[in-house]
Amino acid sequence: MTTSEFGRVLLSEKQIHDRVRELGKAITEDYQDDPPILVNVLKGGFVFLADLVRAINLPVEVDFMEISSYGDAMTSSGVVRILEDLSESVENRHVIIVEDIIDTGRTLSYLMENLETRHPKSIRICTLLDRRGRREVELDLDYVGFVVPDRFVVGYGLDLAQKHRNLPYIAIVEDEEVP
Ligand code: PRP
């Protein structure tokens, strides 16, 4: 199997590119006076982040967190363990959390609470995909790329059993293909 024949394309490379540019422009306009730190949640968000930072015309900083969710692979419990923490302080800084996808909202809700204790100036959320049909915890999403249906999606950072993050587009994987 090559990457170019995997799944049914939901969002093409061009659609993603155009939308990421719009998000970058919006962030550029909103943070003219005080450029933010973009906090990327590994692993899924790394492809989106790489394109997003190049669409922002401001001297932003980038930092990373790796977290692991307790519970089974398909559902998020919201109880998360920080595997790798930020390397910089976010005190008195504007923070934008950059995610590939938000489902139940539990991971982000935990992360927001955790980051709030570090006294940032503000925290906003930027997610490429919002699979809001699965939401269990209300979240204010400030920048959303696309609202997607409640289907298993892969590519552009999103994995299927840790593979296919390198697809340049986002595809829907049929149920029988999900391990
Ligand atoms: C995804 C995504 C979010 C989380 C969202 O990560 O990147 O961190 O799930 O789910 P929630 O809204 O239900 O809490 P995943 O656990 O797939 O790990 P990965 O980024 O390493 O692929």
Side-chain angles (χ1 to χ4, degrees):
M1 180 190 291
T2 65
T3 53
S4 61
E5 62 196 28
F6 188 75
R8 180 167 66 78
V9 176
L10 175 68
L11 295 166
S12 70
E13 202 171 347
K14 167 98 171 66
Q15 280 176 296
I16 297 169
H17 173 84
D18 291 350
R19 188 70 187 118
V20 171
R21 292 213 68 81
E22 287 173 1
L23 292 173
K25 192 160 176 280
I27 291 172
T28 303
E29 283 165 8
D30 291 351
Y31 290 89
Q32 285 291 316
D33 300 331
D34 197 352
I37 298 185
L38 305 188
V39 170
N40 193 206
V41 186
L42 296 168
K43 300 173 187 168
F46 77 98
V47 178
F48 176 40
L49 178 84
D51 285 342
L52 183 67
V53 287
R54 285 176 288 178
I56 299 173
N57 188 17
L58 290 173
V60 293
E61 290 174 50
V62 171
D63 209 342
F64 297 90
M65 277 180 102
E66 184 168 11
I67 58 181
S68 141
S69 173
Y70 290 100
D72 67 65
M74 297 299 287
T75 56
S76 170
S77 64
V79 182
V80 307
R81 191 159 50 108
I82 295 177
L83 300 178
E84 190 68 44
D85 206 345
L86 299 174
S87 59
E88 304 293 330
S89 166
V90 294
E91 187 171 351
N92 206 29
R93 296 294 310 274
H94 291 301
V95 172
I96 303 179
I97 302 174
V98 178
E99 266 285 18
D100 53 344
I101 190 163
I102 297 178
D103 284 330
T104 64
R106 291 187 181 282
T107 306
L108 255 290
S109 159
Y110 170 88
L111 210 55
M112 294 280 284
E113 263 177 46
N114 182 290
L115 292 177
E116 290 283 6
T117 66
R118 307 179 195 200
H119 308 294
K121 223 180 254 181
S122 70
I123 307 181
R124 284 183 173 177
I125 300 172
C126 177
T127 185
L128 181 68
L129 306 182
D130 176 7
R131 194 157 46 189
R132 62 179 58 160
R134 294 193 188 180
R135 195 76 88 254
E136 292 172 12
V137 178
E138 271 317 307
L139 280 177
D140 287 330
L141 303 183
D142 303 282
Y143 306 98
V144 175
F146 303 93
V147 175
V148 293
D150 188 1
R151 305 291 302 278
F152 195 95
V153 286
V154 68
Y156 199 75
L158 293 139
D159 73 304
L160 173 61
Q162 297 303 327
K163 295 195 177 68
H164 308 296
R165 294 191 196 270
N166 59 320
L167 284 175
Y169 55 89
I170 292 173
I172 290 181
V173 180
E174 299 308 331
D175 288 346
E176 59 274 16
E177 296 175 279
V178 178

